[in-house]
Amino acid sequence: MGNPGDRVSLGETWSREVHPDIDSERHSPSFSVERLTNILDGGIPNTELRRKVESLIQRDPVFNLKHLYFMTQDELYEDAVQKRFHLEKLAWSLGWSEDGPERIYADRVLAGYNNLNVHGIAMNAIRSLGSDEQIAKWGQLGKNFQIITTYAQTELGHGTYLQGLETEATYDATTQEFVIHSPTMTSIKWWPGDLGRTVTHAVVLAHLICLGARHGMHAFIVPIRSLEDHTPLPGITVGDIGPKMGLENIDNGFLRLNHVRVPRENMLSRFAEVLPDGTYQRFGTPQSNYLGMLVTRVQLLYKGFLPTLQKACTIAVRYSVIRHQSRLRPSDPEAKILEYQTQQQKLLPQLAVSYALHFMTISLLQFFHSSYSDILKRDFSLLPELHALSTGMKAMFSDFCAQGTEICRRACGGHGYSKLSGLPTLVTQAIASCTYEGENTVLYLQVARFLMKNYLQAQVSPGSIPQKPLPQSVMYLTTPRPARCPAQTAADFCCPEVYTTAWAYVSARLIRDAAQHTQTLMRSGVDQYDAWNQTSVIHLQAAKAHCYFISVRNFKEAVEKLDNEPEIQRVLQNLCDLYALNGILTNSGDFLHDGFLSGAQVDMARTAFLDLLPLIRKDAILLTDAFDFSDHCLNSALGCYDGHVYQRLFEWAQKSPANTQENPAYKKYIRPLMQSWKPKL
Amino acid sequence: MGNPGDRVSLGETWSREVHPDIDSERHSPSFSVERLTNILDGGIPNTELRRKVESLIQRDPVFNLKHLYFMTQDELYEDAVQKRFHLEKLAWSLGWSEDGPERIYADRVLAGYNNLNVHGIAMNAIRSLGSDEQIAKWGQLGKNFQIITTYAQTELGHGTYLQGLETEATYDATTQEFVIHSPTMTSIKWWPGDLGRTVTHAVVLAHLICLGARHGMHAFIVPIRSLEDHTPLPGITVGDIGPKMGLENIDNGFLRLNHVRVPRENMLSRFAEVLPDGTYQRFGTPQSNYLGMLVTRVQLLYKGFLPTLQKACTIAVRYSVIRHQSRLRPSDPEAKILEYQTQQQKLLPQLAVSYALHFMTISLLQFFHSSYSDILKRDFSLLPELHALSTGMKAMFSDFCAQGTEICRRACGGHGYSKLSGLPTLVTQAIASCTYEGENTVLYLQVARFLMKNYLQAQVSPGSIPQKPLPQSVMYLTTPRPARCPAQTAADFCCPEVYTTAWAYVSARLIRDAAQHTQTLMRSGVDQYDAWNQTSVIHLQAAKAHCYFISVRNFKEAVEKLDNEPEIQRVLQNLCDLYALNGILTNSGDFLHDGFLSGAQVDMARTAFLDLLPLIRKDAILLTDAFDFSDHCLNSALGCYDGHVYQRLFEWAQKSPANTQENPAYKKYIRPLMQSWKPKL
């Protein structure tokens, strides 16, 4: 782990004396935590660079996170803008490239506490959808912060269903301009980050209308605030949408466009173009315009969900070896709460999800990089699969992350409700991600359509090779496999082949059942649209099983590759087993349904699951230490490396303005009321 | 419904024109909404009184809730204290009794927005645990707000496990005083509501020590702030514990006691007493001291969970008929999102839970009132069952309420994340209740111990009548029933007898399996404590199934009693069916495990469930209207009676300080950064 001193906060006097209850967890580790950290970072040089960047950030007082929990929304906004601009200056001075690893590492430390992250999303959209000239021009302006941009898609009355957006961009050939307009109240752009008070430009998604014909959604670069004095430009009404459940530092905004004119060159035109006379030319598929969102979803996995869940696990697991409660037997002292099976059942599966997500992200990024360059060259053959995979993984892991951070929070009892624990911030970040960049149910149903289509294609030529080969991720649908699970003991359920096959079997069955339900309804005379709606709950279930199967198989394969690291392979194998079995037990009805598993086998799987808990519990602190979050970054009174939970809670609480200021309610309300009875005492 | 005008906000100009999309939902109702409201209220006079109180509250500008979403924590605290004291003055002037219905109705409108609710909990504790003289003295002082109290149990390092509390009360016979002391940092009282800045007295739970002997937890009344100037009394360190995930208006506090002396009379002594010479006398069981918490848990069901979930349902269902998204078929306009099966699957089960909770609360209150007076008279025979029932229902319904409010929130897409929707406040209230007044896992395990004990007792005399009859709520454990469900069609699953029996069967099986697992381990040589811990996950599952069964049976019986209201009985029967079937499908593995249900029967149950959705969907608006929440009380831009969602979101957002104040970050950070590149443009 290197020097533990590297990861404790500065300026806390007790921080080098580690609490014995957590210290003992780190004695005689069964594997090298440092080596696991290197594996997670993708190599020793990355770990070194990351720590160097973190150390730079943590030494700089502007990047202090300590007082954030006591700030008002307004103060949080100002602080987050300051942090972002300070970071930009630092990056320039050190020559960090725009997409270099240093930026990613810096963001990891400041996660969620610096603003203008949608500027990056908007720039991604420009790079995905813009022509080479547009990328050269706007990319440079954006990189230098000569302009600040947001990505304005969602409207007050419209979200994930892009075709429903109402904003219009009508081409005026006489001036070679687009007239961008919000025709209704429901068409006001609503939610874009940094829009409320900060940005100068927006990438606006709008319906293109040329020569009276509608051509669907396209993206337009629209200046919205003066570069001179930041006031809204003519025709623009812009502001903040008000307080939210979390993400309080971000000025999510609204934007009403009243016949705002932008030049023809402002339509992003890699995949479609409007000629000066208004002729419309398309070079891509109608789906091309969603590319920007695809990139964002992939980035969310590793920049958003992964660190959020890892941090929550770190905080909750560390607290669970400091907190003692109840006695395992009457003569014992109170036990660490991590000794309780029920606490292990809550936390350890979240740790397993964290590792599953890590390895899934690595694979998805590889697939993304290999297919994305083809797509930019207008070869769209891999787009449907890339879309289905990124969509499904965004939906599943944002769900798991929302659920997991909340389980971690609740597993810390009352203190998990205190902002000082750091957990409420992680939870409110996580649950937001179930909705933004595509609402999860809608995304799962997109996966379901992909699965139904491929299932039907595979049926066209059963047994033989389909005319068009199935995408790699759904090839398993055509693999024959036995109708009964061969496991005979609990130990058999810790065989990756057994549970991977079980997941493949159940996922394929649910996809088949869902398709057949829809087809049965259609055969009975229900039209295809009603039939889809009336079976969508069943399709949803199938899509979830498919995503789970993909992640189990991927985790299994990633662990197999670690055979030159036997100790680490062993502990990760346990986590992989736990991940797969937890999914089986949570969905045991799907496995029992047609007798693939018997009741006795489910009991074996449960025994295997419960037996894994104490094994993983032994390594739990080390497995979270390996994420290598500094105390600065965790910003949690419960989660510090040294385990001094109660002192920190007490000291941090003293800083609350309620403890340093007078209580205005006393003289105004409390005293008058109490004294109104005085004469009668 | 009476006059719809009664339930729309004052001063909103459009509020009497109902949006056609919601208006159409109220045409030709299949039952009388007003009559259902009366049933929920427990009679027409109650509805009338409630509306009268609500109208009084809503007319008074002090009780306005509109600006709360824009307030800082400090402002929220001051506002909530003001509301509470204003309410007290109103109550006095109108002669409302302390526990009368008017107070309950007033709290329903102001839910969560007036402080000093722990004052009531502390007063309950005094009334449960105090002698008649103590109740007379302190009850009067508390009623008149001559003192303001909190209930101080939880400590920095100790929560639900009361025996672990460290605060000590040592009796000093020479002065006839108790010396109350916090011996460690972890023994500092932490979390009590209203403690941080407000109360004058605390009911402190502490270990009693007399003549060197320890006698367990007892409750002591401890003055902590001066009645003259509100400063902390000698030996007292008190303050606010800092910011939380929600409940921001409440000053949860900490309290460190340094050898604070209180007179002998300040120990609450209904069930135990210390004589002047230090002799200790006990009149009750050691469990008697938990009575205060028992009362609080029962009250939480109807004062806390029920309105919280009902409000979330009202908001989400109303929004779901205004929001349109995607098309059911290409030629259609965009559909109301409530038309989608996936949206129905999210929301309608929450509506069913709301009604299940309502009827469960009614029954539990009846049982509570009939057994509590015996307990106060020191007849403890019904205490174990009352404890198990109130504990189990607190755990299950706070879980459901947390889950349900979040499902409602997320079902509203991005707008559910805006505080203006009202949903984030409901969610953060609901999730807190999973932890306070007993952490849910701990509570479920207490139910599990009760079940295990009764199961074993029933086994002692199998077939014959047990020596001591089983408590009424677990009598079903001894009822013989068939090992296969007789249902043959989907329609059979809408037969209450079928699903109630199914739940009884599965609950009894899980309780038996859990007990047998523990016993098998013990027979293999594991000691009873390890055996319990190693099977606690299994016991947890059994306890949950038991609670669900109790609630299903109770819902069924409540609906049966409504046979003089056939239309209402019909719609509530649908909800009862949905509630039971949703539970079966979510836990289908438990029903399939030993073949009680076959896979084909689970499919039938699913068909029955899916067929219920469109039936209930037709009445969904009416079923939420029947809760009869005023717009004032919902305080939601999404949930108003008139359906004008988008106008409200837009108008309310304009009030954000971010839109009315200058942006300080512009001149400080944004402009300098953008202009640093100017020369190079």
Side-chain angles (χ1 to χ4, degrees), chain B residues 341-510:
Chain B
Q341 191 184 51
T342 48
Q343 186 77 351
Q344 294 170 6
Q345 184 208 16
K346 289 176 193 175
L347 296 182
L348 304 185
Q350 309 320 316
L351 203 51
V353 171
S354 300
Y355 280 89
L357 170 55
H358 170 83
F359 291 113
M360 192 68 232
T361 302
I362 303 285
S363 310
L364 192 60
L365 275 174
Q366 282 169 352
F367 180 52
F368 175 77
H369 287 303
S370 67
S371 54
Y372 188 62
S373 50
D374 289 345
I375 294 171
L376 286 186
K377 287 180 219 133
R378 298 175 189 162
D379 167 1
F380 298 103
S381 53
L382 287 174
L383 183 57
E385 179 162 38
L386 182 58
H387 175 74
L389 270 177
S390 60
T391 294
M393 293 305 144
K394 185 274 176 184
M396 184 171 78
F397 281 110
S398 59
D399 269 0
F400 285 175
C401 186
Q403 201 179 12
T405 51
E406 173 64 11
I407 289 172
C408 289
R409 191 195 66 69
R410 223 177 280 180
C412 294
H415 297 325
Y417 199 70
S418 166
K419 280 196 183 173
L420 307 181
S421 73
L423 291 162
T425 306
L426 296 170
V427 170
T428 52
Q429 284 173 356
I431 61 179
S433 68
C434 296
T435 307
Y436 64 59
E437 305 304 333
E439 195 277 326
N440 283 353
T441 304
V442 177
L443 296 186
Y444 269 131
L445 289 176
Q446 290 178 9
V447 176
R449 283 185 192 276
F450 170 84
L451 294 174
M452 170 109 168
K453 200 174 143 192
N454 282 289
Y455 167 78
L456 293 179
Q457 194 195 315
Q459 295 310 298
V460 171
S461 46
S464 68
I465 295 153
Q467 299 200 311
K468 200 175 122 195
L470 289 181
Q472 200 271 336
S473 62
V474 287
M475 294 250 265
Y476 74 100
L477 292 180
T478 58
T479 310
R481 53 183 72 81
R484 295 281 178 277
C485 173
Q488 296 186 335
T489 64
D492 289 345
F493 276 96
C494 290
C495 168
E497 206 46 46
V498 167
Y499 55 68
T500 310
T501 304
W503 270 107
Y505 176 88
V506 160
S507 171
R509 179 182 71 75
L510 289 172

Side-chain angles (χ1 to χ4, degrees), chain A residues 672-681, chain B residues 92 140 144-146:
Chain A
L673 188 91
M674 289 177 61
Q675 297 193 341
S676 67
W677 284 86
K678 212 139 192 205
K680 299 171 198 160
L681 258 177
Chain B
W92 291 342
Q140 190 64 24
N144 295 344
F145 278 85
Q146 290 162 278

Side-chain angles (χ1 to χ4, degrees), chain A residues 78 85 92 146 156 191 240 328-329 346 414-415 417 428 441 527 529 593 603 659 668 673 677 681, chain B residues 78 85 92 156 191 240 328-329 346 414-415 417 428 441 527 529-530 593 603 659 668 673 677 681:
Chain A
E78 187 176 333
F85 287 101
W92 291 342
Q146 290 163 281
L156 184 49
W191 276 109
D240 189 285
L328 279 165
R329 52 177 62 73
K346 289 175 192 176
H415 297 325
Y417 199 70
T428 51
T441 304
D527 80 24
Y529 307 105
H593 188 276
D603 285 348
N659 295 326
K668 281 198 212 164
L673 188 91
W677 284 86
L681 258 177
Chain B
E78 186 176 334
F85 288 101
W92 291 342
L156 184 47
W191 275 109
D240 190 285
L328 280 165
R329 53 177 61 74
K346 289 176 193 175
H415 297 325
Y417 199 70
T428 52
T441 304
D527 79 25
Y529 308 106
D530 276 341
H593 187 276
D603 284 347
N659 295 326
K668 280 198 213 164
L673 187 92
W677 283 86
L681 260 178

Side-chain angles (χ1 to χ4, degrees), chain B residues 48-82:
Chain B
E48 285 172 353
L49 180 60
R50 179 175 57 70
R51 288 190 182 146
K52 199 175 129 196
V53 171
E54 283 175 2
S55 161
L56 256 173
I57 299 280
Q58 284 160 206
R59 268 204 300 268
D60 190 326
V62 172
F63 294 123
N64 191 347
L65 305 177
K66 272 287 162 58
H67 299 285
L68 295 177
Y69 296 131
F70 302 108
M71 285 185 180
T72 64
Q73 192 184 337
D74 225 43
E75 291 165 344
L76 285 167
Y77 165 73
E78 186 176 334
D79 181 81
V81 173
Q82 181 189 15

